[in-house]
Amino acid sequence: MANKLLGYLFEMVIYCLPITGLIFSFKRNGKHRKREFSTGFIIIAVSCFFQTFFLYRFYPYDSLFIIFTLFAVFLLVCKLPMLKSLLFTLLLLCYLEAAELLGIATIRELFNLVIGEEVQMRGAASPAMKAMYVAVGSYLCIFILSWHLGNKYYLRLSERKKILLRICAMTAILIGYYILFIYLLSNIQFRPDNEFTTYFQAFLYISFIINTIFLGYTIYSNIRLYQSAGENRTLRQQMDAVQTLTEELRLFKHNYLNILYSFGPHIAESDSPELIAHYEQTVQESRRIGSDNIISIQKIRNASVHNLLMSHMAMLKKESLPFFLGVSGDLGHTRMKDVDLCQVLGIFLDNAREAAAITEEPQVKLDILVGERLVEFYIYNSFSKSGQGGAPGKSGADRGCGLIYADDILGKYKNIIHNAYESNGQFVQQLIVEKQAAIF
Amino acid sequence: MLKIVICDDIKTHNRFVEAAVQAALDEYELPGEIALVTDSAAEALQFSQTPGELRLYFLDINMESATEGLELADKIRQRDADAYIVYITAHAEYSIAGYRTKTFDFLLKPLNAEMIRETVRRVFQDMALVSKRGRVFQFKAGSVMHHIPLSDILYMKKEKNVLHVYTENGRISGYGSLKRTAGEFSKSFALCNKSCLASLGKIKELDTGNRAVLLENGLTLSVSRHFKTALAEAMEAYRGE
């Protein structure tokens, strides 16, 4: 009876303590998360010692004794997250192996099996149930570990899906491995002179190594992702701070302009020419801060287009041509190659700049509307054929080369819309391109 | 008679715009009147709900209530599809919102009387143009609706999902159905082949031997065997009218 109770206690320890440790490890509580993570490891380590004690008492020559002791020591002394995680994974693996094997034979029998002695197997459950149990257990362990180390809050969707796919692939491999493993263990009588025993031992070792490599690789990959996610988090925090400052500056600027312009009608009605002149001068100076181009350009995630617009903005500024950029959403990649899109936009912007430069009130405007499926570019310039007559641009052999080249590029793509027309006294180039489909 | 609504939360701005609009109406002797000057968005919205003549709205969008201003424009557009909407704002970034509400113009502060006068003049110019054009072919290209007078169209061609409309001044492309267009304008257009719709008024000659039509501008369109007879009949009917 005492032995039976001791056995139950052993079972309880072997299952409950690691689970408690796991719960502590994965519990998230803001800034105390790190501390609780360490607490979890300490609990696991203590449980390892506890189990080692029992294992040592009942099975003094058990090979698992050495493994558990080593884990316990390492878990206590190691401080590197990567090493901790790797050890943690191996520990979980051992738990699974030990728990499963205990359901079939004693540890001593396992030891005998490994050294090649005769073993009488006595499986408690059907092979299918055992396979299911171990596979689900393994899957959960890997999933929780990957989920935790992958830190889904800081990973992009595509990365999370990659992790999930890898986990599913590993689960399939594990299920296959365990089904075979359990089937063989449950149905074959092993004897020292049996040739199959040698093969089985080899299979046991190889499969264990493969399994460990797989798990190790997954954990290593996830740790790398976790580390990069940590770096991204720092960058994001910095970006958020800059964005907050920019937004505050924008609000201030808007309020300033609103207040300034609200004086306009009153000043216009005043009798003081000096005041009117001063106001006009202030307004002229304020026009420089009137545009939100820098805020708009931040929405352009496509590096090529971003850089192209930055260079054009610099050129327009150099020529003192007012430029307005409006972007309705995050602009990523389109169905057009970036190089082609940039060439076409570059040509249109060059033409718009040249055309606007010869008008009385020059202005170039680029609106980018990002929809669910389409991206629309509208390039406006203050030149109007009907309003001013003639055609702008170069003369001689180079005339119109840019537009011909743009047409050639656009001709390579289907379902692209390009229109050139006049609207409200402005010349407009309209370009509509399909967005690039997401990979995941 | 065009009804003009001015809505700005700053009363002095309202007075300024009102004076400039009135000056434009008087100067060009335009058939319009200022129907409402208000600093209340709700009042402007209520006015838009009452049925009546064509309207022109000058709506101010400022930072504190930008959403309110844009929502007002949205609601007005929902109730009054033909209305002319002009945004007035100090911030160029709101011009992008104009695509959604199909705004006619976008006036950037600081305003001057000339800007307002020019806008009013162009609104009336557009009204006159629309009434003169007669029937127009409307089709969408992204967020913009193109209006092309039927009399300007030479032919239309469908390539993949894109519908190209060729006029004497060039080409406008957008999204639309060729078959639906052919059905809608069956008296003015006829299919030459499954992807080409020719304007009957622009066809100079039908060469049945070579299965081609010659357009007035010298361009030739191929005619498929399947559509040859129907095209000839459509041309006859068009000329008979």
Side-chain angles (χ1 to χ4, degrees), chain A residues 116-178:
Chain A
E117 286 185 11
E118 188 175 347
V119 176
Q120 184 63 45
M121 307 303 293
R122 45 187 174 90
S126 71
M129 283 302 291
K130 286 170 197 165
M132 187 64 76
Y133 159 71
V134 177
V136 169
S138 303
Y139 175 79
L140 279 175
C141 286
I142 299 163
F143 182 79
I144 291 168
L145 208 62
S146 303
W147 171 74
H148 178 69
L149 295 171
N151 204 334
K152 69 175 185 177
Y153 295 107
Y154 303 111
L155 293 178
R156 286 182 303 168
L157 186 69
S158 58
E159 286 167 346
R160 289 214 302 272
K161 287 198 172 180
K162 277 178 194 167
I163 291 167
L164 197 66
L165 279 172
R166 199 156 56 219
I167 289 167
C168 290
M170 281 193 62
T171 308
I173 292 166
L174 283 171
I175 287 171
Y177 154 61
Y178 281 115

Side-chain angles (χ1 to χ4, degrees), chain A residues 197-239:
Chain A
T197 309
T198 316
Y199 291 126
F200 181 73
Q201 283 173 19
F203 164 75
L204 199 69
Y205 288 125
I206 289 166
S207 58
F208 184 82
I209 291 163
I210 290 170
N211 202 7
T212 311
I213 290 169
F214 262 115
L215 280 167
Y217 174 72
T218 305
I219 299 308
Y220 173 74
S221 308
N222 288 343
I223 287 163
R224 291 293 300 271
L225 283 171
Y226 180 64
Q227 285 171 340
S228 63
E231 288 164 13
N232 289 344
R233 187 176 45 191
T234 314
L235 276 172
R236 182 171 285 192
Q237 281 169 349
Q238 288 172 350
M239 275 178 68

Side-chain angles (χ1 to χ4, degrees), chain A residues 247 250-251 253-255 257-258 261-262 265-266 279 283 287 290-292 324 326-328 365 367-369 373-374 376 378 380 414-421 424-425 430 432 434, chain B residues 10 12-13 15-16 61-64 89-96 99 103-106 108-110 112 122 139-144 146 159-162 164 171-175:
Chain A
E247 188 61 26
R250 181 166 155 262
L251 276 170
K253 193 181 75 179
H254 278 219
N255 288 338
L257 289 175
N258 281 337
Y261 295 152
S262 68
H266 299 290
Y279 178 75
V283 164
R287 275 181 196 275
S291 81
D292 283 314
F324 298 101
V327 185
S328 72
K365 193 170 89 163
D367 286 340
I368 303 175
L369 305 183
R373 201 175 59 84
L374 300 172
E376 302 171 41
Y378 294 88
Y380 296 82
K414 302 287 180 196
N415 291 341
I416 281 184
I417 288 177
H418 168 231
N419 290 316
Y421 57 93
N424 284 342
Q430 179 192 37
I432 304 174
E434 284 180 19
Chain B
I10 301 169
T12 48
H13 282 187
R15 283 203 295 274
F16 179 77
I61 304 167
N62 67 37
M63 190 57 204
E64 277 88 5
T89 181
H91 318 293
E93 71 201 69
Y94 294 131
S95 69
I96 208 92
Y99 290 90
T103 45
F104 179 77
D105 207 352
F106 181 84
L108 200 59
K109 287 180 184 177
N112 59 49
R122 279 195 291 106
F139 76 132
K140 212 175 173 189
S143 303
V144 172
H146 291 285
E159 279 180 355
K160 293 273 180 181
N161 295 327
V162 180
H164 301 291
R171 187 186 80 176
I172 293 285
S173 308
Y175 300 109

Side-chain angles (χ1 to χ4, degrees), chain B residues 1-231:
Chain B
M1 179 74 80
L2 183 74
K3 302 280 184 187
I4 299 167
V5 178
I6 300 161
C7 180
D8 192 326
D9 51 359
I10 301 169
K11 285 182 179 171
T12 48
H13 282 187
N14 271 344
R15 283 203 295 274
F16 179 77
V17 176
E18 185 184 4
V21 169
Q22 193 56 57
L25 293 175
D26 295 342
E27 187 182 337
Y28 298 119
E29 295 177 353
L30 298 169
E33 68 169 8
I34 299 169
L36 179 69
V37 180
T38 178
D39 56 356
S40 158
E43 204 176 337
L45 191 63
Q46 198 177 4
F47 184 83
S48 74
Q49 288 170 333
T50 56
E53 289 152 294
L54 192 62
R55 283 157 194 174
L56 163 63
Y57 294 86
F58 285 93
L59 302 178
D60 175 79
I61 304 167
N62 67 37
M63 190 57 204
E64 277 88 5
S65 57
T67 317
E68 195 184 320
L70 296 171
E71 275 176 11
L72 172 66
D74 274 345
K75 284 174 183 169
I76 288 173
R77 177 58 74 213
Q78 281 167 17
R79 286 164 174 78
D80 194 349
D82 297 325
Y84 289 92
I85 297 175
V86 175
Y87 281 155
I88 300 172
T89 181
H91 318 293
E93 71 201 69
Y94 294 131
S95 69
I96 208 92
Y99 290 90
R100 200 179 63 209
T101 45
K102 310 274 182 287
T103 45
F104 179 77
D105 207 352
F106 181 84
L107 300 179
L108 200 59
K109 287 180 184 177
L111 291 180
N112 59 49
E114 179 56 34
M115 286 161 76
I116 296 166
R117 198 164 55 211
E118 178 60 17
T119 300
V120 172
R121 189 187 64 76
R122 279 195 291 106
V123 167
F124 278 94
Q125 197 178 35
D126 190 74
M127 284 167 60
L129 210 62
V130 169
S131 62
K132 274 182 195 172
R133 274 173 179 172
R135 294 180 76 191
V136 291
F137 175 60
Q138 293 185 22
F139 76 132
K140 212 175 173 189
S143 303
V144 172
M145 187 69 87
H146 291 285
H147 305 267
I148 305 170
L150 291 180
S151 55
D152 287 358
I153 298 171
L154 292 170
Y155 67 99
M156 299 181 199
K157 199 171 182 181
K158 181 98 176 180
E159 279 180 355
K160 293 273 180 181
N161 295 327
V162 180
L163 181 67
H164 301 291
V165 179
Y166 291 86
T167 67
E168 283 165 3
N169 300 320
R171 187 186 80 176
I172 293 285
S173 308
Y175 300 109
S177 162
L178 196 70
K179 279 184 183 172
R180 202 174 58 230
T181 309
E184 195 179 341
F185 301 104
S186 58
K187 287 182 180 174
S188 311
F189 291 86
L191 285 164
C192 301
N193 52 59
K194 66 176 181 181
S195 61
C196 186
L197 188 67
S199 169
L200 294 169
K202 302 290 181 185
I203 296 175
K204 193 177 174 186
E205 189 185 322
L206 171 63
D207 185 350
T208 47
N210 293 320
R211 293 212 312 272
V213 284
L214 182 67
L215 300 183
E216 279 178 355
N217 67 344
L219 201 79
T220 308
L221 303 173
S222 64
V223 180
S224 71
R225 192 171 291 144
H226 180 70
F227 291 100
K228 192 175 71 177
T229 317
L231 179 64

Side-chain angles (χ1 to χ4, degrees), chain A residues 206-352:
Chain A
I206 289 166
S207 58
F208 184 82
I209 291 163
I210 290 170
N211 202 7
T212 311
I213 290 169
F214 262 115
L215 280 167
Y217 174 72
T218 305
I219 299 308
Y220 173 74
S221 308
N222 288 343
I223 287 163
R224 291 293 300 271
L225 283 171
Y226 180 64
Q227 285 171 340
S228 63
E231 288 164 13
N232 289 344
R233 187 176 45 191
T234 314
L235 276 172
R236 182 171 285 192
Q237 281 169 349
Q238 288 172 350
M239 275 178 68
D240 286 347
V242 171
Q243 206 164 353
T244 310
L245 280 171
T246 315
E247 188 61 26
E248 282 173 6
L249 195 66
R250 181 166 155 262
L251 276 170
F252 168 76
K253 193 181 75 179
H254 278 219
N255 288 338
Y256 163 76
L257 289 175
N258 281 337
I259 293 164
L260 178 71
Y261 295 152
S262 68
F263 289 134
H266 299 290
I267 290 170
E269 287 168 9
S270 79
D271 297 329
S272 168
E274 288 87 1
L275 179 63
I276 294 169
H278 177 69
Y279 178 75
E280 289 294 329
Q281 194 184 345
T282 312
V283 164
Q284 284 300 324
E285 284 170 8
S286 302
R287 275 181 196 275
R288 285 187 297 134
I289 61 159
S291 81
D292 283 314
N293 293 349
I294 293 299
I295 291 166
S296 295
I297 210 163
Q298 282 173 359
K299 293 180 189 169
I300 300 174
R301 308 283 183 206
N302 184 321
S304 310
V305 177
H306 187 280
N307 293 338
L308 173 90
L309 293 182
M310 287 296 276
S311 68
H312 274 272
M313 277 163 66
M315 275 193 282
L316 286 155
K317 194 172 183 182
K318 198 175 169 186
E319 293 176 22
S320 302
L321 286 172
F323 176 67
F324 298 101
L325 173 68
V327 185
S328 72
D330 285 352
L331 174 66
H333 295 280
T334 66
R335 291 266 186 186
M336 273 181 87
K337 283 182 189 169
D338 287 345
V339 64
D340 287 341
L341 179 65
C342 286
Q343 285 195 59
V344 171
L345 288 178
I347 290 165
F348 290 165
L349 283 167
D350 276 338
N351 286 355

